Amino acid sequence: MTVQFTIEGLNSGHDRKSFVCGVFVLDRYLKEQAGQDIKRRAALCYVACPEGSARIAGYYTLSAGDVALKDIPEDKARRLPPYPAIPVARIGRLAIDKDFQGRRLGAALLWDAASRALRSELGVFALAVDAKDEQAAAFYRHFGFIAFDTKPLQLFLPLATMAKLI
Ligand SMILES: CC(C)(COP(=O)(O)OP(=O)(O)OC[C@H]1O[C@@H](n2cnc3c(N)ncnc32)[C@H](O)[C@@H]1OP(=O)(O)O)[C@@H](O)C(=O)NCCC(=O)NCCS
């Protein structure tokens, strides 16, 4: 049977307790910190739940940020205005519960983040991510994300590129 998922903002009706992705700090963030970040508007958190269920199958956080122009690879930087910092939408965390990994939910959350950034009424050059390690960085590179020159675990994908794909 195919399970459908709903992606929506985290709220008090969601079951955060049962979430286990295999990375303790990412589980703890959802249980202990995400609500506070939302309240303070430091980051918003979006969750995927099997339709009709409060169980969280995956989540990501999204916030505004910027990156230094000098960190952007030369071929991409050439087309940008010469401002010291370039605005981005940043995925701080992204995780899928072990029971739901390998079912393209991580990909679906990435596209959801990109479409929210594209729909926002702010000037945003790229979707940027902080990968926790090389394996996570490989996940993002799989979708065409490019590492910043001096920071291999921080990657970005220009939204203009994504707009063509969506
Ligand atoms: C990494 C993670 C988010 C991937 O989510 P997922 O739902 O299992 O992955 P998906 O099923 O959406 O995979 C989509 C594609 O990415 C590929 N992929 C998945 N993990 C990958 C990795 N580490 N490196 C390269 N490619 C990867 C899949 O093979 C799949 O390829 P396809 O498009 O050819 O079918 C998930 O495994 C997870 O939460 N891990 C623990 C936490 C973590 O590492 N978070 C990373 C952000 S810090």
Side-chain angles (χ1 to χ4, degrees):
M1 196 179 75
T2 310
V3 181
Q4 301 285 334
F5 294 90
T6 306
I7 303 175
E8 60 191 3
L10 176 69
N11 64 52
S12 56
H14 292 122
D15 167 21
R16 303 170 203 201
K17 288 203 188 90
S18 61
F19 186 84
V20 179
C21 75
V23 180
F24 176 72
V25 289
L26 292 173
D27 297 345
R28 188 178 60 190
Y29 175 83
L30 182 65
K31 287 162 194 165
E32 297 178 8
Q33 189 62 41
Q36 292 298 322
D37 280 359
I38 293 168
K39 216 178 278 174
R40 295 175 182 135
R41 294 198 65 82
L44 296 183
C45 180
Y46 295 96
V47 297
C49 300
E51 215 159 69
S53 163
R55 182 169 178 196
I56 297 174
Y59 80 89
Y60 71 89
T61 62
L62 195 61
S63 52
D66 59 42
V67 297
L69 183 63
K70 65 178 173 46
D71 289 337
I72 296 178
E74 175 64 30
D75 59 323
K76 295 279 182 301
R78 224 182 297 130
R79 294 181 214 155
L80 290 169
Y83 305 143
I86 301 294
V88 296
R90 183 176 296 282
I91 295 181
R93 296 171 175 83
L94 184 149
I96 306 298
D97 185 285
K98 279 181 162 180
D99 286 349
F100 296 92
Q101 288 179 9
R103 292 158 68 167
R104 301 198 62 83
L105 200 50
L109 290 186
L110 267 187
W111 294 123
D112 187 75
S115 32
R116 284 181 201 278
L118 279 167
R119 288 201 306 269
S120 82
E121 295 184 359
L122 302 172
V124 174
F125 159 63
L127 190 61
V129 293
D130 294 312
K132 66 172 180 52
D133 56 24
E134 168 50 33
Q135 208 186 338
F139 170 71
Y140 293 115
R141 287 198 302 269
H142 180 77
F143 295 96
F145 279 74
I146 304 159
F148 288 107
D149 271 352
T150 54
K151 299 170 182 161
L153 294 184
Q154 290 183 19
L155 304 96
F156 71 100
L157 189 61
L159 281 173
T161 309
M162 286 201 138
K164 284 183 206 148
L165 298 174
I166 287 176

